[in-house]
Amino acid sequence: MIRCTLSAPRAVASCRELHGARRGGVAQHVLRLRMFSGVADDEDLVSDDASPPPPPDAPKRKTSQRDTYLEELPVTFSDISRANVAIRTGVKRTPCIKSFFLSELIGANVFLKTEFQQFTGSFKERGARNAILALLRENGEEYMRKNGVIAASAGNHALALAYHGKDLNVPVTVVMPVVAPLAKVDKCKKFGANIVIHGAHIGEAKEKAEELIKTSGLEYVNGYDDPPIIAGAGTIGIEIIEDVPCVDAVVVPVGGAGLIAGIGCAVKTLKPDVKVYGVEPYFAASY
C-alpha cells in the first residue's frame, strides 16, 4: 500500500474520513466528494436540500453521479489546473519524499509532501498567490494596487498573503488577534503589510476586517472558504499524483477544510479510486 500525507507538526491526531463534517459551504462539497468516491456513510448522503431518489423504473442517466457532483462543485478541476499554471512562477513545487521510519512503523510506503519548504513555511502560499492573481485579473492592476486586499488571520494565511502581496505589488492589510504569534506579526510587517491587532480570537479579528471593508475598497480574502484559495491548495493534489502515481490514500490535515476540498477535488478527478482522509487534533477537532 502506498500512502501520501502532508507533513505537519503535532502529529498526535485522530484520523477519520471526515465524520461529522458540517453541512453547507466548503464542507458540504467535501462530503459530495465522498459521495461520488463511493465511501460516504449513509448519514452523509442526507442533506437539507437533497432531492428525492428517482423511482425504481426511472431510466438511467447517461451522466454518472460522480460527474454531476464535479460539475456542481464551486471549484472544479479546471480551476485547479489554471491555478497550477498561474502560481508556478511564485510558489515552490515541493517533492513527495518517502519516509523510511514511518513506512517501517506503519507497514506501508509513506510519502511526505514537504510544504514546509515554501518560503513562508506553509501551503497557504498557493491559495494566497492564486487569490491575488485572480483579483488582479478581475478588477485590474490599477484598482488592486490602489486598494489592496484584507484578511483576518492569526498566522500562516496572513504571512502568505503579505509575502505574495509584496511580490505582486498589491497592498495587504491583515487583522490579527492578540494571541497571534509575535514572530509571524513581525514577519508580516517586514513584507510591508498593514497590521491591525484586534480581538481575543480569530472570530473577533474577522468581524473587524469585515468592518474595514465597508469603509474602504479592500477585497477580503478568506483563508479557506474561498474558490481561488481552494483551487490553489488543490495544486498539491496534482503534484501528489504526478510524483506518486501508484498512491492508494492521501491523508490531509483538516482545519477550515479548504485544503482537503482542493486536494480532494484534484485527486478524485485524476484517480477516483484513491481514498482521501481528513486528520485533525484529537483535543481540538474542527468538526
Side-chain angles (χ1 to χ4, degrees):
M1 176 178 287
I2 307 291
R3 298 187 180 185
C4 184
T5 180
L6 291 179
S7 56
R10 301 176 185 176
V12 180
S14 65
C15 179
R16 62 184 183 274
E17 197 170 356
L18 296 178
H19 279 301
R22 63 190 177 196
R23 302 306 193 262
V26 170
Q28 176 62 35
H29 295 292
V30 174
L31 289 177
R32 288 180 175 178
L33 284 170
R34 295 185 61 202
M35 291 167 67
F36 66 64
S37 69
V39 295
D41 298 326
D42 290 340
E43 62 180 359
D44 290 332
L45 298 178
V46 180
S47 62
D48 296 336
D49 58 350
S51 301
D57 57 346
K60 294 183 178 180
R61 300 171 60 184
K62 294 182 178 180
T63 303
S64 68
Q65 186 186 47
R66 177 176 174 274
D67 291 335
T68 301
Y69 283 121
L70 275 175
E71 293 174 357
E72 292 178 355
L73 291 174
V75 177
T76 67
F77 184 70
S78 295
D79 298 318
I80 297 172
S81 296
R82 284 190 289 268
N84 195 40
V85 174
I87 68 175
R88 64 175 48 170
T89 58
V91 172
K92 182 179 177 61
R93 190 195 187 287
T94 59
C96 274
I97 301 176
K98 183 177 180 179
S99 171
F100 172 82
F101 293 105
L102 283 178
S103 298
E104 187 178 61
L105 178 65
I106 296 175
N109 293 313
V110 178
F111 292 77
L112 302 178
K113 182 65 171 164
T114 55
E115 282 297 288
F116 63 86
Q117 293 183 353
Q118 299 294 348
F119 187 83
T120 62
S122 168
F123 73 91
K124 292 284 189 178
E125 285 194 31
R126 296 173 181 265
R129 188 173 187 88
N130 192 48
I132 294 175
L133 289 171
L135 288 169
L136 284 168
R137 292 192 299 268
E138 180 181 348
N139 299 323
E141 294 184 6
E142 182 178 354
Y143 177 85
M144 289 306 304
R145 286 169 179 162
K146 177 183 177 182
N147 296 283
V149 298
I150 186 172
S153 169
N156 288 336
H157 178 55
L159 195 56
L161 206 62
Y163 172 66
H164 287 282
K166 180 180 180 180
D167 185 58
L168 296 170
N169 197 25
V170 173
V172 175
T173 298
V174 181
V175 184
M176 308 181 79
V178 295
V179 295
L182 292 177
K184 293 187 177 180
V185 174
D186 291 339
K187 288 179 180 178
C188 286
K189 290 180 180 178
K190 289 181 179 180
F191 293 137
N194 174 33
I195 308 298
V196 178
I197 304 297
H198 179 87
H201 50 76
I202 190 64
E204 293 182 355
K206 183 179 179 181
E207 291 177 358
K208 181 63 175 180
E210 291 172 345
E211 289 179 10
L212 294 174
I213 293 173
K214 298 176 182 178
T215 59
S216 66
L218 293 166
E219 294 285 341
Y220 186 77
V221 180
N222 191 297
Y224 54 90
D225 198 9
D226 183 87
I229 292 288
I230 295 172
T235 61
I236 295 174
I238 294 178
E239 293 176 9
I240 289 174
I241 298 301
E242 290 177 345
D243 291 352
V244 192
C246 54
V247 62
D248 297 308
V250 179
V251 182
V252 187
V254 175
L259 178 62
I260 195 170
I263 291 179
C265 181
V267 170
K268 287 294 185 179
T269 301
L270 295 172
K271 281 187 170 292
D273 293 335
V274 173
K275 293 184 178 181
V276 178
Y277 294 92
V279 182
E280 54 190 9
Y282 187 82
F283 292 106
S286 302
Y287 299 104

